[in-house]
Amino acid sequence: MPAKVLFAGRPAIWPVYRETLAAAFDRKGIRAELFDRCDDPATVDYIVYSPNQALTDFRPFTRLKAVLSLWAGVETIQTNQTLTAPLARMVDAGLTDGMAEWVLGHVMRYHLGIDRHLFGQDGIWRGADPVPPLARDRAVGILGLGTLGLASARLLQAVGFQVSGWSRRPKTASGIRGFSGREGLHQILSSSEILVLLLPQTAATKNILDTETLGMLPEGAVIINPGRGALIDDQALLASLDSGQIGHATLDVFRQEPLPADHPFWTHPRVTVTPHIASETRPETASDCIAENIRRGQAGEPFLHLVDRGEGY
């Protein structure tokens, strides 16, 4: 019997995914019926899901084998009490590579002091003063050594940066100095001239950067946050920027999105706002990830990238 797959994403992206998912199913040898509207929820085997649409009650889907998220972040769905089927987050090569490239671009922007020339074209000839260090002499810290954090660390390492990483539990990665736990957090913060946040949003990571921890960074350190908005205490960050403790912050994610037009981040001279564009799920590679999990479900094999509800990611 063909698997019945409901696409519960934004209607605007359905025409693209209808094509890429069907092609991925063919490559995997999957027999499936794919549709974006459901007359009988009790017949659905899998739901391809993005949290920014209308489906929130999963109880009618009594045959559901898994929900396959199109997003890497699952904080808005993993607490849904009506969902009892397995939940898989999106881990696909396109999203991962896109994030690593975005992180590298903004690290290089700060490392080379590019803003000074981009926004300083006022007729004054300014040399490279101070001369920036080479990448091998610049310390970059990454909070979060999951798939996205590790990929970003590897790309920065390839350029030559001194890369350190922090995770809640000990992790080892060749060539990357690893820290964990509360003491390890203090250690990595104290040495990071550029700090990248790629942690999931959980009760344990909310406001991980607050007045105390922001004060542990070297004076004038730079923060790049493509992870989750709630990782940073907004008011504490603004105060640290005003005092000069933090030199600049590039923020791609926020507690409320879209970021309200009157939010002080928009006009602060030491903040760069980007509209949650650090990395997008790409239909071609995402469809391969989804198809593999459906193949596994149909074959009775374990799903990939399952969310641990207790951990929150």
Side-chain angles (χ1 to χ4, degrees):
M1 178 185 298
K4 291 187 178 292
V5 182
L6 172 63
F7 183 85
R10 291 185 297 109
I13 62 176
W14 164 240
V16 175
Y17 274 97
R18 180 172 51 196
E19 301 294 330
T20 58
L21 282 170
F25 293 164
D26 285 342
R27 288 193 293 272
K28 294 286 183 180
I30 297 169
R31 295 175 60 231
E33 296 178 17
L34 179 63
F35 48 94
D36 68 332
R37 290 178 176 81
C38 180
D39 295 326
D40 187 1
T43 66
V44 173
D45 295 299
Y46 303 93
I47 298 177
V48 178
Y49 185 80
S50 58
N52 60 344
Q53 46 74 56
L55 175 58
T56 57
D57 186 358
F58 294 91
R59 288 172 296 185
F61 298 90
T62 55
R63 201 172 82 182
L64 192 61
K65 296 180 181 179
V67 171
L68 309 174
S69 179
L70 287 169
W71 292 9
V74 293
E75 62 272 8
T76 59
I77 178 180
Q78 67 93 19
T79 57
N80 188 320
Q81 297 301 308
T82 72
L83 177 58
T84 57
L87 169 65
R89 57 193 174 85
M90 176 54 64
V91 179
D92 88 282
L95 190 152
T96 300
D97 292 347
M99 177 63 79
E101 292 170 11
W102 188 91
V103 168
L104 174 62
H106 282 277
V107 168
M108 292 300 295
R109 167 194 164 202
Y110 287 123
H111 170 61
L112 296 175
I114 289 173
D115 282 9
R116 192 159 66 97
H117 300 288
L118 286 178
F119 303 113
Q121 298 197 23
D122 52 5
I124 299 174
W125 187 268
R126 295 179 177 86
D129 182 22
V131 176
L134 296 173
R136 66 188 181 213
D137 299 318
R138 177 83 75 183
V140 180
I142 298 181
L143 301 190
L145 284 177
T147 301
L148 299 179
L150 188 57
S152 299
R154 289 291 186 220
L155 193 54
L156 291 166
Q157 184 185 43
V159 175
F161 288 102
Q162 299 175 26
V163 183
S164 299
W166 180 88
S167 52
R168 289 182 59 204
R169 297 183 180 84
K171 290 186 178 179
T172 57
S174 177
I176 297 170
R177 189 181 181 194
F179 297 92
S180 62
R182 190 69 183 175
E183 182 177 346
L185 178 63
H186 296 176
Q187 289 178 286
I188 192 172
L189 291 178
S190 68
S191 63
S192 296
E193 300 168 75
I194 301 174
L195 184 71
V196 181
L197 278 65
L198 279 168
L199 289 162
Q201 181 178 318
T202 69
T205 62
K206 186 177 180 180
N207 291 333
I208 195 167
L209 288 190
D210 57 14
T211 299
E212 178 188 9
T213 49
L214 286 166
M216 295 176 184
L217 286 158
E219 185 175 355
V222 165
I223 293 170
I224 301 172
N225 184 18
R228 289 290 175 264
L231 299 176
I232 305 177
D233 180 321
D234 289 1
Q235 295 307 311
L237 176 59
L238 288 166
S240 295
L241 289 162
D242 288 341
S243 72
Q245 167 59 22
I246 302 302
H248 205 101
T250 287
L251 308 174
D252 186 61
V253 286
F254 307 91
R255 292 170 185 269
Q256 180 182 346
E257 295 185 1
L259 185 67
D262 60 353
H263 196 288
F265 283 157
W266 282 113
T267 55
H268 199 288
R270 293 182 173 178
V271 173
T272 298
V273 170
T274 61
H276 206 141
I277 56 168
S279 188
E280 295 287 341
T281 302
R282 288 160 170 79
E284 293 80 6
T285 51
S287 293
D288 283 334
C289 180
I290 291 164
E292 173 58 19
N293 258 341
I294 292 176
R295 185 201 67 75
R296 286 169 169 265
Q298 294 300 91
E301 298 175 15
F303 292 110
L304 297 174
H305 316 306
L306 285 179
V307 174
D308 183 325
R309 303 293 178 86
E311 294 288 346
Y313 62 95

